[in-house]
Amino acid sequence: MVTLASDKEAFIAQYDQSKDNLPGSEITWLADLRAKNIALFDQVGLPTGKTELWKFTNLNPLKKQAFSGPSLQGPASANNNELPRLLAEGASFRLVFIDGSYSADLSDKTLPAGVSVQSLASAIKSGASDLETSIVSRDRAEEQPLVALNTALMTDGNVIDIAKDVSVNLPIEILHMGGGKAEQSYHNRNVVSVGSGSKVTIIENVTDRSDNVYFSNSATEVSVGENATLHHYRVQASNKAAFLVSSTEAVVDKGASYDNFLLNTGARLSRTETNVSLIAENSSCHLNGAYMGTDDQHCDMTTRVDHKSPHTTCDEVIKGVLAGKARGVFQGKIIVHELAQKTVGNQSHRAMLLSDRAEVDAKPELEIFADDVICSHGCTSGQIDEEQLFYLRSRGLSSEQAQSLLVNAFLADAVEAVQNEDLKDLLLVKIADWLEQNPN
């Protein structure tokens, strides 16, 4: 088992050691895909400050750890009653992943008609014919070397297929429970396909059951068919020793909508990258989120929206609150291609700094190659408004109560975009809990 410091060579050694035992090692196209991507990773290496998209996120803390390779033994045991839920029992269809491996025993067995769910390992074993077109190399390997590493080392993940004209009445809740084993790495690959005219909500709950250091490097491919709607929400609340890197690539077809929201309060270092391609007329996306950090946490939210057809729209509202020596990063790029006339693209990032040691880096970008568009972006950061704080304290509130009230109001704007009312209420509770646990 490879437990060297996690530089490029250590991850390549993990691949060399496990390649003959990874799921689908006997399948030619998949073995070739893995080999191609480990070669890409070898060529590019781990991102450094010289990589433009990674200039604000330093992976040196990750490199100093000694992570073992992905587990091939299946999920660890767990008690279903002790596993956390975002929504009440019976209010969602739940899938459970423990230490990167799918647990069929702990996941719901009964799903609505038209909904197919299986683990990536099972889909590979059964020879699912569409995986070869769903799991492909990304075009921007020099910008996404960790996606290439994921493609080489992927062992499990969820494969969700929603048939045509299906409206799923309850959300699909995916629990990712990590930290069962110290210094382990997971490389989950997920595939989500929503058929034309369908509507579904997927909620990911990323958490853990210990304070162990671990590394989760996940990648997700999303396809939203004509006139379909996918609400894709993610709550990250891992321990402050974890390293979380995730990349989502969404393709949105004619008249379809991709609605994405992230609430991030956990991890020592997290980077969540969301790339959306609006490939046909009247397709749209919403990329909203809120992040909160304290101590020496680092949170990076990076987005890219490609408007490739006329009459496409995107709206993006990201808000962050940082205390202690925490650092936040927002990078948002909107690209309007030459054919994408009548595009509307709006982007907003605002950060509130509760400490003079906290730091935020923001890099909003617009690249417009069309004539008839409406696009905007704006970024602001600053400390809490002292006049508002004084006003609330003059009404009898303590400093902590006044600050909590202002932070709640500041973040509520982003949370308001969530369309599931139960989840919206839960997110507001989690924000309040974070403020209570971090009163200073």
Side-chain angles (χ1 to χ4, degrees), residues 18-59:
S18 60
K19 63 182 180 181
D20 292 334
N21 297 309
L22 290 168
S25 59
E26 73 287 354
I27 301 174
T28 301
W29 72 263
L30 186 52
D32 290 346
L33 181 66
R34 292 186 190 278
K36 174 185 176 181
N37 277 270
I38 200 65
L40 286 172
F41 177 74
D42 187 18
Q43 177 183 348
V44 178
L46 288 169
T48 68
K50 295 180 181 180
T51 305
E52 184 64 25
L53 270 182
W54 289 81
K55 65 184 297 183
F56 300 120
T57 296
N58 189 328
L59 291 182

Side-chain angles (χ1 to χ4, degrees), residues 290-293 319-323 350-355 382-385 388-389 392 399-415 427-428 430-436 438-440:
Y291 61 88
M292 293 168 284
K319 291 197 171 185
V321 174
L322 300 169
R350 295 175 63 194
M352 179 183 288
L353 307 180
L354 303 181
S355 162
Q383 295 182 325
I384 202 163
D385 191 311
Q388 293 179 355
L389 197 62
L392 291 174
S399 178
E400 289 80 7
Q401 289 172 327
Q403 180 172 281
S404 178
L405 193 63
L406 291 174
V407 172
N408 266 301
F410 176 75
L411 293 176
D413 221 15
V415 177
L427 294 176
L428 292 173
K430 285 191 171 293
I431 290 171
D433 289 345
W434 184 87
L435 290 167
E436 186 176 339
N438 300 279
N440 297 317

Side-chain angles (χ1 to χ4, degrees), residues 37-328:
N37 277 270
I38 200 65
L40 286 172
F41 177 74
D42 187 18
Q43 177 183 348
V44 178
L46 288 169
T48 68
K50 295 180 181 180
T51 305
E52 184 64 25
L53 270 182
W54 289 81
K55 65 184 297 183
F56 300 120
T57 296
N58 189 328
L59 291 182
N60 281 338
L62 173 71
K63 296 175 185 177
K64 293 177 182 178
Q65 302 294 326
F67 295 107
S68 62
S71 171
L72 302 174
Q73 307 303 316
S77 60
N79 188 330
N80 205 349
N81 295 326
E82 297 175 355
L83 297 180
R85 288 181 177 271
L86 287 177
L87 302 178
E89 187 172 358
S92 67
F93 305 105
R94 189 166 71 155
L95 312 177
V96 176
F97 288 81
I98 298 179
D99 295 339
S101 296
Y102 175 69
S103 175
D105 293 339
L106 299 175
S107 300
D108 289 340
K109 307 295 190 299
T110 304
L111 295 168
V115 178
S116 170
V117 174
Q118 58 183 322
S119 71
L120 178 71
S122 297
I124 291 173
K125 187 176 180 180
S126 64
S129 58
D130 56 349
L131 280 182
E132 188 170 357
T133 56
S134 299
I135 302 177
V136 295
S137 297
R138 303 262 181 103
D139 294 334
R140 302 185 302 277
E142 71 284 354
E143 298 175 353
Q144 298 181 307
L146 289 176
V147 176
L149 180 64
N150 170 282
T151 306
L153 289 175
M154 57 185 174
T155 54
D156 214 343
N158 59 74
V159 179
I160 300 175
D161 184 76
I162 312 298
K164 180 180 177 181
D165 296 324
V166 173
S167 184
V168 185
N169 61 332
L170 294 178
I172 298 173
E173 182 178 338
I174 305 173
L175 173 63
H176 300 279
M177 177 75 81
K181 183 179 179 181
E183 297 187 319
Q184 186 174 353
S185 60
Y186 323 130
H187 302 271
N188 283 29
R189 190 59 163 256
N190 309 301
V191 179
V192 178
S193 177
V194 183
S196 60
S198 293
K199 184 176 181 179
V200 65
T201 296
I202 295 175
I203 304 170
E204 297 187 69
N205 181 13
V206 183
T207 184
D208 43 49
R209 49 180 173 170
S210 74
D211 293 328
N212 286 333
V213 177
Y214 65 94
F215 173 40
S216 173
N217 173 34
S218 66
T220 301
E221 315 297 331
V222 173
S223 172
V224 188
E226 282 193 28
N227 300 313
T229 300
L230 171 59
H231 301 289
H232 187 188
Y233 306 137
R234 185 177 177 94
V235 178
Q236 291 184 173
S238 296
N239 72 62
K240 292 181 183 179
F243 294 86
L244 303 180
V245 178
S246 68
S247 175
T248 298
E249 197 89 4
V251 178
V252 187
D253 212 333
K254 183 177 181 179
S257 176
Y258 177 64
D259 174 33
N260 180 286
F261 183 91
L262 167 69
L263 175 66
N264 187 91
T265 63
R268 177 180 178 183
L269 183 151
S270 67
R271 177 182 169 96
T272 306
E273 186 174 333
T274 307
N275 303 307
V276 181
S277 293
L278 303 174
I279 63 170
E281 288 194 43
N282 299 313
S283 55
S284 64
C285 70
H286 299 86
L287 304 180
N288 301 306
Y291 61 88
M292 293 168 284
T294 187
D295 299 329
D296 59 352
Q297 288 181 277
H298 180 103
C299 175
D300 179 335
M301 296 177 68
T302 294
T303 66
R304 171 176 168 147
V305 180
D306 280 275
H307 294 264
K308 296 186 175 181
S309 289
H311 301 281
T312 54
T313 62
C314 75
D315 286 293
E316 188 169 2
V317 177
I318 308 292
K319 291 197 171 185
V321 174
L322 300 169
K325 295 186 293 183
R327 184 178 184 184

